[in-house]
Amino acid sequence: MLKRIWNDLWQMNSSRKNIFIFELTYKLAATAAAYPLIVLLINLALSASGVRYLTNDYIIQAVANPFTMLLLFLFVTAFAAYGIYEMSFLAVYMEHRRQGRETAVLEIAGIALHKIKSAMHWINIPMAYFSLISILTVNAAVVGNIIWSDNLISFMRRHILYGRWSTKFIAVSAWTLILLAVLAGIYSFCIMAAEGKNFIKAYRESVRLVKKHPVGTLAAIIRYNIAIIVIIAALYAVLSILVIAGVKILDMAYLGSALYLSILKNIRVLIKFMLAYIAVPTSYVVITRRYYKYRT
């Protein structure tokens, strides 16, 4: 299982024109641009909704404001565009690798941008949002980072877990429908990128492909997520050992263990973000390799 994930990572790294150059540059640039923008949007949303602090009691009030909804829509659209370009880049890269072509990173970036421009048609607009939902749905690392935030856990516990049965039913039904829709259309972007079909035709073709190979498709996604969870557990186990050993040593030396724990906490946060960053392209490589296997 882990060997297959390693092969997927090696698939991204084995080219002389290292794909990680693009991934690192793209993600660092996006993070540097997105962080201050997110802070600004949150402040604007709070100001427009008349909320001074974003607590669990005021989340619904803040989100229900029309201006906040507009900001959320713009943010989701920008994030979807970010994801679409990354996936387009990886699609071009893997297609060239499959054909045995050595292409410079900047040239691949230009081809990916041209493909996006060529596909800009109203019928393909849903693909951007569908791809974003797909990435969030099939990635345990990404979903975990979202769900296990303190505010969201408190919100879900208050409004869903301890809420009405109708709310629980709606939440479970919505999640099930999203999951089924994502699994059925898991190859949609691969088909659009490789075959030039529009979103509707690509989704229908993906449904046919998944119906023909349901076990292989589902098994690939499950294996990938189990491998990611194992990697996360191993990293956290190592960090826990370092925490215990460090605290013991610092206590014996009468040094500041609080500073040590604070540093390790920041390292854990960094690992969570790095895993989320790595998970998105790796999951796309897993899905794309499965697509090429079933189409050839």
Side-chain angles (χ1 to χ4, degrees), residues 244-279:
I244 295 171
V247 170
K248 292 290 185 182
I249 293 172
L250 291 175
D251 281 345
M252 288 187 295
Y254 300 103
L255 296 176
S257 59
L259 177 61
Y260 177 78
L261 292 173
S262 177
I263 293 173
L264 279 180
K265 180 181 178 181
N266 291 330
I267 293 175
R268 291 176 64 181
V269 173
L270 178 62
I271 289 175
K272 285 173 61 178
F273 279 105
M274 289 303 297
L275 283 172
Y277 278 173
I278 295 172

Side-chain angles (χ1 to χ4, degrees), residues 115-140:
K115 278 184 170 290
I116 291 177
K117 289 180 178 179
S118 301
M120 288 183 67
H121 189 274
W122 67 268
I123 202 172
N124 293 327
I125 291 177
M127 172 56 75
Y129 300 101
F130 179 78
S131 298
L132 175 61
I133 295 172
S134 300
I135 290 298
L136 295 177
T137 303
V138 303
N139 271 288

Side-chain angles (χ1 to χ4, degrees), residues 132-274:
L132 175 61
I133 295 172
S134 300
I135 290 298
L136 295 177
T137 303
V138 303
N139 271 288
V142 178
V143 173
N145 279 337
I146 295 173
I147 291 179
W148 277 289
S149 62
D150 293 336
N151 288 337
L152 188 55
I153 288 177
S154 299
F155 179 82
M156 291 175 64
R157 184 186 296 117
R158 179 175 181 179
H159 296 281
I160 297 178
L161 185 61
Y162 298 141
R164 299 177 179 177
W165 281 105
S166 58
T167 305
K168 296 177 185 178
F169 176 77
I170 292 172
V172 172
S173 300
W175 176 251
T176 303
L177 289 174
I178 290 172
L179 186 60
L180 290 175
V182 165
L183 290 176
I186 198 70
Y187 301 115
S188 297
F189 188 83
C190 300
I191 295 170
M192 277 188 65
E195 303 177 26
K197 295 182 178 180
N198 63 44
F199 173 61
I200 295 177
K201 292 181 179 178
Y203 189 88
R204 289 174 179 171
E205 184 64 27
S206 176
V207 171
R208 285 194 289 269
L209 208 58
V210 172
K211 284 183 177 180
K212 191 175 181 180
H213 305 280
V215 177
T217 299
L218 190 59
I221 296 172
I222 292 175
R223 280 197 304 264
Y224 158 75
N225 280 289
I226 291 176
I228 290 295
I229 292 172
V230 169
I231 293 171
I232 293 173
L235 288 173
Y236 272 80
V238 172
L239 282 176
S240 298
I241 293 172
L242 291 176
V243 168
I244 295 171
V247 170
K248 292 290 185 182
I249 293 172
L250 291 175
D251 281 345
M252 288 187 295
Y254 300 103
L255 296 176
S257 59
L259 177 61
Y260 177 78
L261 292 173
S262 177
I263 293 173
L264 279 180
K265 180 181 178 181
N266 291 330
I267 293 175
R268 291 176 64 181
V269 173
L270 178 62
I271 289 175
K272 285 173 61 178
F273 279 105
M274 289 303 297

Side-chain angles (χ1 to χ4, degrees), residues 43-53 58 61-62 65 68:
N43 290 331
L44 288 174
L46 292 178
S47 176
S49 58
V51 176
R52 297 185 61 184
Y53 303 101
Y58 294 115
Q61 178 182 338
N65 184 274
T68 304

